[in-house]
Short mmCIF file of all heavy atoms in Angstrom, two decimals:
data_model
loop_
_atom_site.label_atom_id
_atom_site.label_comp_id
_atom_site.label_asym_id
_atom_site.label_seq_id
_atom_site.Cartn_x
_atom_site.Cartn_y
_atom_site.Cartn_z
N GLU A 278 172.22 44.06 65.53
CA GLU A 278 171.17 43.96 66.50
C GLU A 278 170.56 42.63 66.67
O GLU A 278 171.18 41.60 66.13
CB GLU A 278 170.08 45.03 66.17
CG GLU A 278 169.54 45.73 67.32
CD GLU A 278 168.46 46.66 66.88
OE1 GLU A 278 167.48 46.24 66.36
OE2 GLU A 278 168.76 47.85 66.90
N ARG A 279 169.30 42.57 67.07
CA ARG A 279 168.77 41.22 67.48
C ARG A 279 167.95 40.62 66.42
O ARG A 279 167.77 39.36 66.48
CB ARG A 279 167.93 41.33 68.78
CG ARG A 279 168.76 41.69 70.05
CD ARG A 279 167.97 41.63 71.26
NE ARG A 279 168.67 41.92 72.35
CZ ARG A 279 168.81 43.08 72.94
NH1 ARG A 279 168.28 44.17 72.26
NH2 ARG A 279 169.52 43.33 73.90
N SER A 280 167.31 41.24 65.59
CA SER A 280 166.21 40.61 64.65
C SER A 280 166.58 40.63 63.22
O SER A 280 167.30 41.56 62.77
CB SER A 280 164.91 41.26 64.91
OG SER A 280 164.52 41.29 66.23
N PHE A 281 165.99 39.74 62.57
CA PHE A 281 166.25 39.65 61.15
C PHE A 281 164.93 39.90 60.28
O PHE A 281 163.82 39.68 60.76
CB PHE A 281 166.61 38.17 60.76
CG PHE A 281 168.00 37.87 61.30
CD1 PHE A 281 168.21 37.77 62.68
CD2 PHE A 281 169.02 37.81 60.45
CE1 PHE A 281 169.53 37.50 63.13
CE2 PHE A 281 170.35 37.49 60.92
CZ PHE A 281 170.58 37.38 62.31
N ASP A 282 165.13 40.33 59.14
CA ASP A 282 163.98 40.64 58.23
C ASP A 282 163.40 39.39 57.67
O ASP A 282 163.99 38.33 57.89
CB ASP A 282 164.33 41.64 57.10
CG ASP A 282 163.46 42.83 57.12
OD1 ASP A 282 162.28 42.72 57.48
OD2 ASP A 282 163.96 43.89 56.67
N ASP A 283 162.32 39.48 56.88
CA ASP A 283 161.56 38.29 56.48
C ASP A 283 162.53 37.27 55.63
O ASP A 283 162.38 36.11 55.81
CB ASP A 283 160.51 38.72 55.45
CG ASP A 283 159.36 39.26 56.16
OD1 ASP A 283 159.09 38.92 57.30
OD2 ASP A 283 158.71 40.27 55.60
N ASP A 284 163.47 37.87 54.87
CA ASP A 284 164.23 36.88 54.06
C ASP A 284 165.49 36.45 54.85
O ASP A 284 166.31 35.65 54.36
CB ASP A 284 164.74 37.61 52.75
CG ASP A 284 165.53 38.82 53.05
OD1 ASP A 284 165.83 39.20 54.17
OD2 ASP A 284 165.89 39.52 52.03
N GLY A 285 165.63 36.85 56.15
CA GLY A 285 166.69 36.34 56.93
C GLY A 285 168.00 36.98 56.76
O GLY A 285 169.04 36.57 57.30
N ASP A 286 168.02 38.05 56.00
CA ASP A 286 169.28 38.62 55.59
C ASP A 286 169.51 39.96 56.31
O ASP A 286 170.53 40.66 56.07
CB ASP A 286 169.46 38.84 54.05
CG ASP A 286 169.71 37.58 53.34
OD1 ASP A 286 170.02 36.58 53.98
OD2 ASP A 286 169.45 37.48 52.08
N HIS A 287 168.50 40.49 56.89
CA HIS A 287 168.59 41.84 57.54
C HIS A 287 168.65 41.84 59.02
O HIS A 287 167.73 41.25 59.63
CB HIS A 287 167.35 42.69 56.97
CG HIS A 287 167.21 42.78 55.56
ND1 HIS A 287 166.02 42.84 54.92
CD2 HIS A 287 168.10 42.67 54.55
CE1 HIS A 287 166.24 42.82 53.58
NE2 HIS A 287 167.41 42.71 53.35
N ILE A 288 169.62 42.46 59.54
CA ILE A 288 169.78 42.62 60.95
C ILE A 288 169.52 44.04 61.32
O ILE A 288 170.10 44.97 60.53
CB ILE A 288 171.12 42.09 61.56
CG1 ILE A 288 171.12 40.53 61.27
CG2 ILE A 288 171.25 42.36 63.00
CD1 ILE A 288 172.29 39.91 61.95
N GLN A 289 168.97 44.39 62.36
CA GLN A 289 168.80 45.80 62.71
C GLN A 289 169.89 46.25 63.62
O GLN A 289 170.38 45.53 64.45
CB GLN A 289 167.42 45.96 63.43
CG GLN A 289 166.33 45.39 62.78
CD GLN A 289 165.33 44.83 63.78
OE1 GLN A 289 165.27 45.12 64.86
NE2 GLN A 289 164.40 43.95 63.27
N ASP A 290 170.28 47.49 63.42
CA ASP A 290 171.38 48.11 64.27
C ASP A 290 170.80 49.07 65.24
O ASP A 290 170.01 49.88 64.90
CB ASP A 290 172.35 48.77 63.27
CG ASP A 290 173.46 49.43 64.06
OD1 ASP A 290 174.20 48.75 64.83
OD2 ASP A 290 173.60 50.68 63.90
N GLY A 291 171.30 48.99 66.44
CA GLY A 291 170.82 49.93 67.41
C GLY A 291 171.52 49.82 68.76
O GLY A 291 172.53 49.25 68.88
N LYS A 292 170.96 50.54 69.77
CA LYS A 292 171.52 50.55 71.07
C LYS A 292 171.53 49.27 71.74
O LYS A 292 170.60 48.48 71.59
CB LYS A 292 170.84 51.66 71.95
CG LYS A 292 170.81 52.99 71.45
CD LYS A 292 170.12 53.93 72.35
CE LYS A 292 168.50 53.60 72.25
NZ LYS A 292 167.72 54.51 73.08
#
Side-chain angles (χ1 to χ4, degrees):
E278 218 182 70
R279 293 187 181 87
S280 301
F281 290 72
D282 234 331
D283 285 327
D284 58 5
D286 288 344
H287 303 151
I288 294 184
Q289 308 147 17
D290 176 55
K292 299 177 291 183

